[in-house]
Amino acid sequence: SDEDGIHIENSDEAVVDNNDVYDGLTGIRVQNSDDVVIEDNYVANQNGFWFFGIGDGIFALNTDNLTVERNTVENVNNDGIDVQDS
């Protein structure tokens, strides 16, 4: 969506690293993808409401071969890291 800091969808072999993501609805959203690495990011102030990952720091849905490591997530309305069906 337009309110995500970083949005990866329907992708293969994506790397999301060393980003500062703040003041949005969802920090990093990944869905329907394969071979995704999310590492060394700073995510803060995600102020969305509770609905399907909105307000999460990092949200992953239907993503195979997902690696999430060394991320800092703070001041989010919902989950810091939410991984579903991945």
Side-chain angles (χ1 to χ4, degrees):
S1 76
D2 294 333
E3 293 82 15
D4 296 332
I6 297 173
H7 187 133
I8 306 292
E9 187 168 1
N10 299 322
S11 297
D12 291 330
E13 300 181 11
V15 176
V16 180
D17 66 348
N18 294 308
N19 296 285
D20 292 336
V21 182
Y22 51 89
D23 297 333
L25 294 181
T26 300
I28 300 172
R29 176 184 295 269
V30 179
Q31 56 193 81
N32 304 320
S33 296
D34 189 28
D35 292 322
V36 177
V37 176
I38 302 172
E39 63 183 5
D40 299 316
N41 296 287
Y42 174 75
V43 180
N45 303 329
Q46 304 309 309
N47 297 310
F49 50 91
W50 182 87
F51 179 75
F52 200 58
I54 297 175
D56 291 340
I58 298 172
F59 177 74
L61 176 68
N62 297 326
T63 299
D64 294 327
N65 302 311
L66 173 67
T67 302
V68 179
E69 57 189 16
R70 296 184 311 272
N71 295 284
T72 301
V73 178
E74 59 187 23
N75 193 29
V76 296
N77 277 7
N78 295 317
D79 297 321
I81 299 174
D82 185 1
V83 177
Q84 300 179 12
D85 299 325
S86 295

mmCIF file with all atom_site columns, all heavy atoms in Angstrom, residues 4-29:
data_model
loop_
_atom_site.group_PDB
_atom_site.id
_atom_site.type_symbol
_atom_site.label_atom_id
_atom_site.label_alt_id
_atom_site.label_comp_id
_atom_site.label_asym_id
_atom_site.label_entity_id
_atom_site.label_seq_id
_atom_site.pdbx_PDB_ins_code
_atom_site.Cartn_x
_atom_site.Cartn_y
_atom_site.Cartn_z
_atom_site.occupancy
_atom_site.B_iso_or_equiv
_atom_site.pdbx_formal_charge
_atom_site.auth_seq_id
_atom_site.auth_comp_id
_atom_site.auth_asym_id
_atom_site.auth_atom_id
_atom_site.pdbx_PDB_model_num
ATOM 1   N N   . ASP A 1 4  ? 3.086  1.944   3.336  1.00 0.00 ? 4  ASP A N   1
ATOM 2   C CA  . ASP A 1 4  ? 4.181  1.095   3.780  1.00 0.00 ? 4  ASP A CA  1
ATOM 3   C C   . ASP A 1 4  ? 5.501  1.803   3.514  1.00 0.00 ? 4  ASP A C   1
ATOM 4   O O   . ASP A 1 4  ? 5.683  2.423   2.476  1.00 0.00 ? 4  ASP A O   1
ATOM 5   C CB  . ASP A 1 4  ? 4.189  -0.243  3.027  1.00 0.00 ? 4  ASP A CB  1
ATOM 6   C CG  . ASP A 1 4  ? 2.953  -1.079  3.305  1.00 0.00 ? 4  ASP A CG  1
ATOM 7   O OD1 . ASP A 1 4  ? 2.376  -0.938  4.398  1.00 0.00 ? 4  ASP A OD1 1
ATOM 8   O OD2 . ASP A 1 4  ? 2.577  -1.874  2.427  1.00 0.00 ? 4  ASP A OD2 1
ATOM 9   N N   . GLY A 1 5  ? 6.435  1.649   4.465  1.00 0.00 ? 5  GLY A N   1
ATOM 10  C CA  . GLY A 1 5  ? 7.759  2.203   4.226  1.00 0.00 ? 5  GLY A CA  1
ATOM 11  C C   . GLY A 1 5  ? 8.444  1.486   3.075  1.00 0.00 ? 5  GLY A C   1
ATOM 12  O O   . GLY A 1 5  ? 8.929  2.093   2.137  1.00 0.00 ? 5  GLY A O   1
ATOM 13  N N   . ILE A 1 6  ? 8.476  0.146   3.159  1.00 0.00 ? 6  ILE A N   1
ATOM 14  C CA  . ILE A 1 6  ? 9.042  -0.691  2.096  1.00 0.00 ? 6  ILE A CA  1
ATOM 15  C C   . ILE A 1 6  ? 8.054  -1.818  1.847  1.00 0.00 ? 6  ILE A C   1
ATOM 16  O O   . ILE A 1 6  ? 7.619  -2.482  2.787  1.00 0.00 ? 6  ILE A O   1
ATOM 17  C CB  . ILE A 1 6  ? 10.411 -1.264  2.504  1.00 0.00 ? 6  ILE A CB  1
ATOM 18  C CG1 . ILE A 1 6  ? 11.411 -0.126  2.715  1.00 0.00 ? 6  ILE A CG1 1
ATOM 19  C CG2 . ILE A 1 6  ? 10.919 -2.266  1.463  1.00 0.00 ? 6  ILE A CG2 1
ATOM 20  C CD1 . ILE A 1 6  ? 12.736 -0.571  3.289  1.00 0.00 ? 6  ILE A CD1 1
ATOM 21  N N   . HIS A 1 7  ? 7.691  -2.032  0.595  1.00 0.00 ? 7  HIS A N   1
ATOM 22  C CA  . HIS A 1 7  ? 6.698  -3.055  0.241  1.00 0.00 ? 7  HIS A CA  1
ATOM 23  C C   . HIS A 1 7  ? 7.277  -3.938  -0.859 1.00 0.00 ? 7  HIS A C   1
ATOM 24  O O   . HIS A 1 7  ? 7.581  -3.463  -1.949 1.00 0.00 ? 7  HIS A O   1
ATOM 25  C CB  . HIS A 1 7  ? 5.411  -2.388  -0.248 1.00 0.00 ? 7  HIS A CB  1
ATOM 26  C CG  . HIS A 1 7  ? 4.298  -3.345  -0.479 1.00 0.00 ? 7  HIS A CG  1
ATOM 27  N ND1 . HIS A 1 7  ? 3.037  -3.112  -0.002 1.00 0.00 ? 7  HIS A ND1 1
ATOM 28  C CD2 . HIS A 1 7  ? 4.219  -4.528  -1.124 1.00 0.00 ? 7  HIS A CD2 1
ATOM 29  C CE1 . HIS A 1 7  ? 2.239  -4.118  -0.348 1.00 0.00 ? 7  HIS A CE1 1
ATOM 30  N NE2 . HIS A 1 7  ? 2.956  -4.988  -1.034 1.00 0.00 ? 7  HIS A NE2 1
ATOM 31  N N   . ILE A 1 8  ? 7.431  -5.237  -0.545 1.00 0.00 ? 8  ILE A N   1
ATOM 32  C CA  . ILE A 1 8  ? 7.911  -6.215  -1.523 1.00 0.00 ? 8  ILE A CA  1
ATOM 33  C C   . ILE A 1 8  ? 6.769  -7.190  -1.762 1.00 0.00 ? 8  ILE A C   1
ATOM 34  O O   . ILE A 1 8  ? 6.236  -7.763  -0.817 1.00 0.00 ? 8  ILE A O   1
ATOM 35  C CB  . ILE A 1 8  ? 9.126  -7.003  -0.987 1.00 0.00 ? 8  ILE A CB  1
ATOM 36  C CG1 . ILE A 1 8  ? 10.242 -6.067  -0.512 1.00 0.00 ? 8  ILE A CG1 1
ATOM 37  C CG2 . ILE A 1 8  ? 9.612  -8.021  -2.001 1.00 0.00 ? 8  ILE A CG2 1
ATOM 38  C CD1 . ILE A 1 8  ? 10.910 -5.292  -1.595 1.00 0.00 ? 8  ILE A CD1 1
ATOM 39  N N   . GLU A 1 9  ? 6.377  -7.388  -3.016 1.00 0.00 ? 9  GLU A N   1
ATOM 40  C CA  . GLU A 1 9  ? 5.279  -8.307  -3.314 1.00 0.00 ? 9  GLU A CA  1
ATOM 41  C C   . GLU A 1 9  ? 5.538  -9.024  -4.633 1.00 0.00 ? 9  GLU A C   1
ATOM 42  O O   . GLU A 1 9  ? 6.005  -8.423  -5.598 1.00 0.00 ? 9  GLU A O   1
ATOM 43  C CB  . GLU A 1 9  ? 3.959  -7.547  -3.382 1.00 0.00 ? 9  GLU A CB  1
ATOM 44  C CG  . GLU A 1 9  ? 2.750  -8.442  -3.518 1.00 0.00 ? 9  GLU A CG  1
ATOM 45  C CD  . GLU A 1 9  ? 1.437  -7.717  -3.296 1.00 0.00 ? 9  GLU A CD  1
ATOM 46  O OE1 . GLU A 1 9  ? 1.439  -6.504  -3.049 1.00 0.00 ? 9  GLU A OE1 1
ATOM 47  O OE2 . GLU A 1 9  ? 0.398  -8.379  -3.381 1.00 0.00 ? 9  GLU A OE2 1
ATOM 48  N N   . ASN A 1 10 ? 5.223  -10.351 -4.645 1.00 0.00 ? 10 ASN A N   1
ATOM 49  C CA  . ASN A 1 10 ? 5.388  -11.179 -5.838 1.00 0.00 ? 10 ASN A CA  1
ATOM 50  C C   . ASN A 1 10 ? 6.813  -11.096 -6.396 1.00 0.00 ? 10 ASN A C   1
ATOM 51  O O   . ASN A 1 10 ? 7.016  -10.935 -7.590 1.00 0.00 ? 10 ASN A O   1
ATOM 52  C CB  . ASN A 1 10 ? 4.375  -10.781 -6.920 1.00 0.00 ? 10 ASN A CB  1
ATOM 53  C CG  . ASN A 1 10 ? 2.950  -10.977 -6.453 1.00 0.00 ? 10 ASN A CG  1
ATOM 54  O OD1 . ASN A 1 10 ? 2.636  -11.938 -5.755 1.00 0.00 ? 10 ASN A OD1 1
ATOM 55  N ND2 . ASN A 1 10 ? 2.084  -10.051 -6.804 1.00 0.00 ? 10 ASN A ND2 1
ATOM 56  N N   . SER A 1 11 ? 7.783  -11.222 -5.513 1.00 0.00 ? 11 SER A N   1
ATOM 57  C CA  . SER A 1 11 ? 9.187  -11.084 -5.915 1.00 0.00 ? 11 SER A CA  1
ATOM 58  C C   . SER A 1 11 ? 9.975  -12.327 -5.550 1.00 0.00 ? 11 SER A C   1
ATOM 59  O O   . SER A 1 11 ? 9.628  -13.062 -4.639 1.00 0.00 ? 11 SER A O   1
ATOM 60  C CB  . SER A 1 11 ? 9.809  -9.877  -5.216 1.00 0.00 ? 11 SER A CB  1
ATOM 61  O OG  . SER A 1 11 ? 9.161  -8.690  -5.604 1.00 0.00 ? 11 SER A OG  1
ATOM 62  N N   . ASP A 1 12 ? 11.052 -12.543 -6.265 1.00 0.00 ? 12 ASP A N   1
ATOM 63  C CA  . ASP A 1 12 ? 12.024 -13.586 -5.943 1.00 0.00 ? 12 ASP A CA  1
ATOM 64  C C   . ASP A 1 12 ? 13.361 -12.917 -5.639 1.00 0.00 ? 12 ASP A C   1
ATOM 65  O O   . ASP A 1 12 ? 13.748 -11.951 -6.293 1.00 0.00 ? 12 ASP A O   1
ATOM 66  C CB  . ASP A 1 12 ? 12.212 -14.552 -7.117 1.00 0.00 ? 12 ASP A CB  1
ATOM 67  C CG  . ASP A 1 12 ? 10.982 -15.408 -7.364 1.00 0.00 ? 12 ASP A CG  1
ATOM 68  O OD1 . ASP A 1 12 ? 10.270 -15.694 -6.389 1.00 0.00 ? 12 ASP A OD1 1
ATOM 69  O OD2 . ASP A 1 12 ? 10.732 -15.773 -8.525 1.00 0.00 ? 12 ASP A OD2 1
ATOM 70  N N   . GLU A 1 13 ? 14.068 -13.449 -4.635 1.00 0.00 ? 13 GLU A N   1
ATOM 71  C CA  . GLU A 1 13 ? 15.418 -13.014 -4.307 1.00 0.00 ? 13 GLU A CA  1
ATOM 72  C C   . GLU A 1 13 ? 15.527 -11.529 -3.987 1.00 0.00 ? 13 GLU A C   1
ATOM 73  O O   . GLU A 1 13 ? 16.327 -10.800 -4.570 1.00 0.00 ? 13 GLU A O   1
ATOM 74  C CB  . GLU A 1 13 ? 16.374 -13.392 -5.433 1.00 0.00 ? 13 GLU A CB  1
ATOM 75  C CG  . GLU A 1 13 ? 16.423 -14.892 -5.672 1.00 0.00 ? 13 GLU A CG  1
ATOM 76  C CD  . GLU A 1 13 ? 17.381 -15.304 -6.761 1.00 0.00 ? 13 GLU A CD  1
ATOM 77  O OE1 . GLU A 1 13 ? 18.190 -14.479 -7.226 1.00 0.00 ? 13 GLU A OE1 1
ATOM 78  O OE2 . GLU A 1 13 ? 17.316 -16.466 -7.167 1.00 0.00 ? 13 GLU A OE2 1
ATOM 79  N N   . ALA A 1 14 ? 14.753 -11.079 -3.028 1.00 0.00 ? 14 ALA A N   1
ATOM 80  C CA  . ALA A 1 14 ? 14.816 -9.685  -2.578 1.00 0.00 ? 14 ALA A CA  1
ATOM 81  C C   . ALA A 1 14 ? 15.649 -9.588  -1.302 1.00 0.00 ? 14 ALA A C   1
ATOM 82  O O   . ALA A 1 14 ? 15.588 -10.451 -0.438 1.00 0.00 ? 14 ALA A O   1
ATOM 83  C CB  . ALA A 1 14 ? 13.422 -9.145  -2.319 1.00 0.00 ? 14 ALA A CB  1
ATOM 84  N N   . VAL A 1 15 ? 16.433 -8.514  -1.189 1.00 0.00 ? 15 VAL A N   1
ATOM 85  C CA  . VAL A 1 15 ? 17.204 -8.232  0.009  1.00 0.00 ? 15 VAL A CA  1
ATOM 86  C C   . VAL A 1 15 ? 16.828 -6.824  0.471  1.00 0.00 ? 15 VAL A C   1
ATOM 87  O O   . VAL A 1 15 ? 16.928 -5.861  -0.289 1.00 0.00 ? 15 VAL A O   1
ATOM 88  C CB  . VAL A 1 15 ? 18.723 -8.313  -0.250 1.00 0.00 ? 15 VAL A CB  1
ATOM 89  C CG1 . VAL A 1 15 ? 19.504 -7.916  0.992  1.00 0.00 ? 15 VAL A CG1 1
ATOM 90  C CG2 . VAL A 1 15 ? 19.111 -9.710  -0.720 1.00 0.00 ? 15 VAL A CG2 1
ATOM 91  N N   . VAL A 1 16 ? 16.394 -6.731  1.728  1.00 0.00 ? 16 VAL A N   1
ATOM 92  C CA  . VAL A 1 16 ? 16.044 -5.446  2.334  1.00 0.00 ? 16 VAL A CA  1
ATOM 93  C C   . VAL A 1 16 ? 16.988 -5.275  3.515  1.00 0.00 ? 16 VAL A C   1
ATOM 94  O O   . VAL A 1 16 ? 16.839 -5.921  4.541  1.00 0.00 ? 16 VAL A O   1
ATOM 95  C CB  . VAL A 1 16 ? 14.571 -5.435  2.807  1.00 0.00 ? 16 VAL A CB  1
ATOM 96  C CG1 . VAL A 1 16 ? 14.231 -4.099  3.442  1.00 0.00 ? 16 VAL A CG1 1
ATOM 97  C CG2 . VAL A 1 16 ? 13.637 -5.754  1.656  1.00 0.00 ? 16 VAL A CG2 1
ATOM 98  N N   . ASP A 1 17 ? 17.993 -4.417  3.376  1.00 0.00 ? 17 ASP A N   1
ATOM 99  C CA  . ASP A 1 17 ? 18.953 -4.262  4.465  1.00 0.00 ? 17 ASP A CA  1
ATOM 100 C C   . ASP A 1 17 ? 19.438 -2.826  4.608  1.00 0.00 ? 17 ASP A C   1
ATOM 101 O O   . ASP A 1 17 ? 19.442 -2.057  3.660  1.00 0.00 ? 17 ASP A O   1
ATOM 102 C CB  . ASP A 1 17 ? 20.130 -5.225  4.309  1.00 0.00 ? 17 ASP A CB  1
ATOM 103 C CG  . ASP A 1 17 ? 21.006 -4.949  3.105  1.00 0.00 ? 17 ASP A CG  1
ATOM 104 O OD1 . ASP A 1 17 ? 20.616 -4.153  2.236  1.00 0.00 ? 17 ASP A OD1 1
ATOM 105 O OD2 . ASP A 1 17 ? 22.105 -5.524  3.023  1.00 0.00 ? 17 ASP A OD2 1
ATOM 106 N N   . ASN A 1 18 ? 19.798 -2.503  5.844  1.00 0.00 ? 18 ASN A N   1
ATOM 107 C CA  . ASN A 1 18 ? 20.376 -1.200  6.191  1.00 0.00 ? 18 ASN A CA  1
ATOM 108 C C   . ASN A 1 18 ? 19.482 -0.022  5.823  1.00 0.00 ? 18 ASN A C   1
ATOM 109 O O   . ASN A 1 18 ? 19.934 0.955   5.228  1.00 0.00 ? 18 ASN A O   1
ATOM 110 C CB  . ASN A 1 18 ? 21.760 -1.049  5.550  1.00 0.00 ? 18 ASN A CB  1
ATOM 111 C CG  . ASN A 1 18 ? 22.747 -2.030  6.117  1.00 0.00 ? 18 ASN A CG  1
ATOM 112 O OD1 . ASN A 1 18 ? 22.907 -2.130  7.323  1.00 0.00 ? 18 ASN A OD1 1
ATOM 113 N ND2 . ASN A 1 18 ? 23.374 -2.805  5.248  1.00 0.00 ? 18 ASN A ND2 1
ATOM 114 N N   . ASN A 1 19 ? 18.201 -0.110  6.196  1.00 0.00 ? 19 ASN A N   1
ATOM 115 C CA  . ASN A 1 19 ? 17.257 0.984   5.956  1.00 0.00 ? 19 ASN A CA  1
ATOM 116 C C   . ASN A 1 19 ? 16.764 1.556   7.276  1.00 0.00 ? 19 ASN A C   1
ATOM 117 O O   . ASN A 1 19 ? 16.685 0.854   8.275  1.00 0.00 ? 19 ASN A O   1
ATOM 118 C CB  . ASN A 1 19 ? 16.046 0.460   5.171  1.00 0.00 ? 19 ASN A CB  1
ATOM 119 C CG  . ASN A 1 19 ? 16.424 -0.020  3.801  1.00 0.00 ? 19 ASN A CG  1
ATOM 120 O OD1 . ASN A 1 19 ? 16.673 0.771   2.911  1.00 0.00 ? 19 ASN A OD1 1
ATOM 121 N ND2 . ASN A 1 19 ? 16.483 -1.333  3.624  1.00 0.00 ? 19 ASN A ND2 1
ATOM 122 N N   . ASP A 1 20 ? 16.404 2.833   7.276  1.00 0.00 ? 20 ASP A N   1
ATOM 123 C CA  . ASP A 1 20 ? 15.682 3.477   8.372  1.00 0.00 ? 20 ASP A CA  1
ATOM 124 C C   . ASP A 1 20 ? 14.270 3.729   7.876  1.00 0.00 ? 20 ASP A C   1
ATOM 125 O O   . ASP A 1 20 ? 14.084 4.456   6.889  1.00 0.00 ? 20 ASP A O   1
ATOM 126 C CB  . ASP A 1 20 ? 16.329 4.805   8.758  1.00 0.00 ? 20 ASP A CB  1
ATOM 127 C CG  . ASP A 1 20 ? 17.698 4.625   9.387  1.00 0.00 ? 20 ASP A CG  1
ATOM 128 O OD1 . ASP A 1 20 ? 17.968 3.540   9.932  1.00 0.00 ? 20 ASP A OD1 1
ATOM 129 O OD2 . ASP A 1 20 ? 18.500 5.576   9.340  1.00 0.00 ? 20 ASP A OD2 1
ATOM 130 N N   . VAL A 1 21 ? 13.292 3.121   8.543  1.00 0.00 ? 21 VAL A N   1
ATOM 131 C CA  . VAL A 1 21 ? 11.899 3.233   8.120  1.00 0.00 ? 21 VAL A CA  1
ATOM 132 C C   . VAL A 1 21 ? 11.096 3.729   9.316  1.00 0.00 ? 21 VAL A C   1
ATOM 133 O O   . VAL A 1 21 ? 11.089 3.085   10.362 1.00 0.00 ? 21 VAL A O   1
ATOM 134 C CB  . VAL A 1 21 ? 11.353 1.868   7.648  1.00 0.00 ? 21 VAL A CB  1
ATOM 135 C CG1 . VAL A 1 21 ? 9.929  2.006   7.158  1.00 0.00 ? 21 VAL A CG1 1
ATOM 136 C CG2 . VAL A 1 21 ? 12.237 1.269   6.559  1.00 0.00 ? 21 VAL A CG2 1
ATOM 137 N N   . TYR A 1 22 ? 10.420 4.865   9.170  1.00 0.00 ? 22 TYR A N   1
ATOM 138 C CA  . TYR A 1 22 ? 9.698  5.415   10.311 1.00 0.00 ? 22 TYR A CA  1
ATOM 139 C C   . TYR A 1 22 ? 8.511  6.264   9.868  1.00 0.00 ? 22 TYR A C   1
ATOM 140 O O   . TYR A 1 22 ? 8.412  6.668   8.706  1.00 0.00 ? 22 TYR A O   1
ATOM 141 C CB  . TYR A 1 22 ? 10.638 6.231   11.204 1.00 0.00 ? 22 TYR A CB  1
ATOM 142 C CG  . TYR A 1 22 ? 11.448 7.268   10.464 1.00 0.00 ? 22 TYR A CG  1
ATOM 143 C CD1 . TYR A 1 22 ? 10.961 8.551   10.272 1.00 0.00 ? 22 TYR A CD1 1
ATOM 144 C CD2 . TYR A 1 22 ? 12.686 6.951   9.928  1.00 0.00 ? 22 TYR A CD2 1
ATOM 145 C CE1 . TYR A 1 22 ? 11.693 9.496   9.577  1.00 0.00 ? 22 TYR A CE1 1
ATOM 146 C CE2 . TYR A 1 22 ? 13.433 7.880   9.236  1.00 0.00 ? 22 TYR A CE2 1
ATOM 147 C CZ  . TYR A 1 22 ? 12.928 9.160   9.070  1.00 0.00 ? 22 TYR A CZ  1
ATOM 148 O OH  . TYR A 1 22 ? 13.656 10.086  8.368  1.00 0.00 ? 22 TYR A OH  1
ATOM 149 N N   . ASP A 1 23 ? 7.594  6.481   10.820 1.00 0.00 ? 23 ASP A N   1
ATOM 150 C CA  . ASP A 1 23 ? 6.428  7.350   10.652 1.00 0.00 ? 23 ASP A CA  1
ATOM 151 C C   . ASP A 1 23 ? 5.501  6.910   9.519  1.00 0.00 ? 23 ASP A C   1
ATOM 152 O O   . ASP A 1 23 ? 5.172  7.689   8.623  1.00 0.00 ? 23 ASP A O   1
ATOM 153 C CB  . ASP A 1 23 ? 6.854  8.804   10.431 1.00 0.00 ? 23 ASP A CB  1
ATOM 154 C CG  . ASP A 1 23 ? 7.595  9.369   11.628 1.00 0.00 ? 23 ASP A CG  1
ATOM 155 O OD1 . ASP A 1 23 ? 7.352  8.889   12.748 1.00 0.00 ? 23 ASP A OD1 1
ATOM 156 O OD2 . ASP A 1 23 ? 8.411  10.283  11.442 1.00 0.00 ? 23 ASP A OD2 1
ATOM 157 N N   . GLY A 1 24 ? 5.055  5.662   9.555  1.00 0.00 ? 24 GLY A N   1
ATOM 158 C CA  . GLY A 1 24 ? 4.113  5.167   8.562  1.00 0.00 ? 24 GLY A CA  1
ATOM 159 C C   . GLY A 1 24 ? 3.084  4.266   9.201  1.00 0.00 ? 24 GLY A C   1
ATOM 160 O O   . GLY A 1 24 ? 2.864  4.294   10.409 1.00 0.00 ? 24 GLY A O   1
ATOM 161 N N   . LEU A 1 25 ? 2.437  3.458   8.373  1.00 0.00 ? 25 LEU A N   1
ATOM 162 C CA  . LEU A 1 25 ? 1.460  2.497   8.883  1.00 0.00 ? 25 LEU A CA  1
ATOM 163 C C   . LEU A 1 25 ? 2.093  1.138   9.120  1.00 0.00 ? 25 LEU A C   1
ATOM 164 O O   . LEU A 1 25 ? 1.870  0.507   10.141 1.00 0.00 ? 25 LEU A O   1
ATOM 165 C CB  . LEU A 1 25 ? 0.273  2.368   7.932  1.00 0.00 ? 25 LEU A CB  1
ATOM 166 C CG  . LEU A 1 25 ? -0.592 3.612   7.788  1.00 0.00 ? 25 LEU A CG  1
ATOM 167 C CD1 . LEU A 1 25 ? -1.752 3.341   6.835  1.00 0.00 ? 25 LEU A CD1 1
ATOM 168 C CD2 . LEU A 1 25 ? -1.123 4.074   9.124  1.00 0.00 ? 25 LEU A CD2 1
ATOM 169 N N   . THR A 1 26 ? 2.874  0.649   8.182  1.00 0.00 ? 26 THR A N   1
ATOM 170 C CA  . THR A 1 26 ? 3.638  -0.594  8.338  1.00 0.00 ? 26 THR A CA  1
ATOM 171 C C   . THR A 1 26 ? 5.044  -0.329  7.834  1.00 0.00 ? 26 THR A C   1
ATOM 172 O O   . THR A 1 26 ? 5.224  0.211   6.743  1.00 0.00 ? 26 THR A O   1
ATOM 173 C CB  . THR A 1 26 ? 2.990  -1.742  7.542  1.00 0.00 ? 26 THR A CB  1
ATOM 174 O OG1 . THR A 1 26 ? 1.665  -1.945  8.020  1.00 0.00 ? 26 THR A OG1 1
ATOM 175 C CG2 . THR A 1 26 ? 3.779  -3.027  7.701  1.00 0.00 ? 26 THR A CG2 1
ATOM 176 N N   . GLY A 1 27 ? 6.038  -0.751  8.607  1.00 0.00 ? 27 GLY A N   1
ATOM 177 C CA  . GLY A 1 27 ? 7.421  -0.448  8.234  1.00 0.00 ? 27 GLY A CA  1
ATOM 178 C C   . GLY A 1 27 ? 7.890  -1.184  7.000  1.00 0.00 ? 27 GLY A C   1
ATOM 179 O O   . GLY A 1 27 ? 8.166  -0.593  5.967  1.00 0.00 ? 27 GLY A O   1
ATOM 180 N N   . ILE A 1 28 ? 7.983  -2.518  7.102  1.00 0.00 ? 28 ILE A N   1
ATOM 181 C CA  . ILE A 1 28 ? 8.418  -3.353  5.986  1.00 0.00 ? 28 ILE A CA  1
ATOM 182 C C   . ILE A 1 28 ? 7.374  -4.445  5.797  1.00 0.00 ? 28 ILE A C   1
ATOM 183 O O   . ILE A 1 28 ? 7.096  -5.208  6.710  1.00 0.00 ? 28 ILE A O   1
ATOM 184 C CB  . ILE A 1 28 ? 9.800  -3.980  6.264  1.00 0.00 ? 28 ILE A CB  1
ATOM 185 C CG1 . ILE A 1 28 ? 10.850 -2.881  6.467  1.00 0.00 ? 28 ILE A CG1 1
ATOM 186 C CG2 . ILE A 1 28 ? 10.202 -4.909  5.121  1.00 0.00 ? 28 ILE A CG2 1
ATOM 187 C CD1 . ILE A 1 28 ? 12.201 -3.391  6.941  1.00 0.00 ? 28 ILE A CD1 1
ATOM 188 N N   . ARG A 1 29 ? 6.784  -4.496  4.619  1.00 0.00 ? 29 ARG A N   1
ATOM 189 C CA  . ARG A 1 29 ? 5.759  -5.497  4.299  1.00 0.00 ? 29 ARG A CA  1
ATOM 190 C C   . ARG A 1 29 ? 6.261  -6.345  3.131  1.00 0.00 ? 29 ARG A C   1
ATOM 191 O O   . ARG A 1 29 ? 6.664  -5.822  2.099  1.00 0.00 ? 29 ARG A O   1
ATOM 192 C CB  . ARG A 1 29 ? 4.453  -4.822  3.906  1.00 0.00 ? 29 ARG A CB  1
ATOM 193 C CG  . ARG A 1 29 ? 3.364  -5.799  3.452  1.00 0.00 ? 29 ARG A CG  1
ATOM 194 C CD  . ARG A 1 29 ? 2.128  -5.054  2.976  1.00 0.00 ? 29 ARG A CD  1
ATOM 195 N NE  . ARG A 1 29 ? 1.516  -4.328  4.052  1.00 0.00 ? 29 ARG A NE  1
ATOM 196 C CZ  . ARG A 1 29 ? 0.551  -4.815  4.844  1.00 0.00 ? 29 ARG A CZ  1
ATOM 197 N NH1 . ARG A 1 29 ? 0.107  -6.033  4.652  1.00 0.00 ? 29 ARG A NH1 1
ATOM 198 N NH2 . ARG A 1 29 ? 0.047  -4.081  5.800  1.00 0.00 ? 29 ARG A NH2 1
#
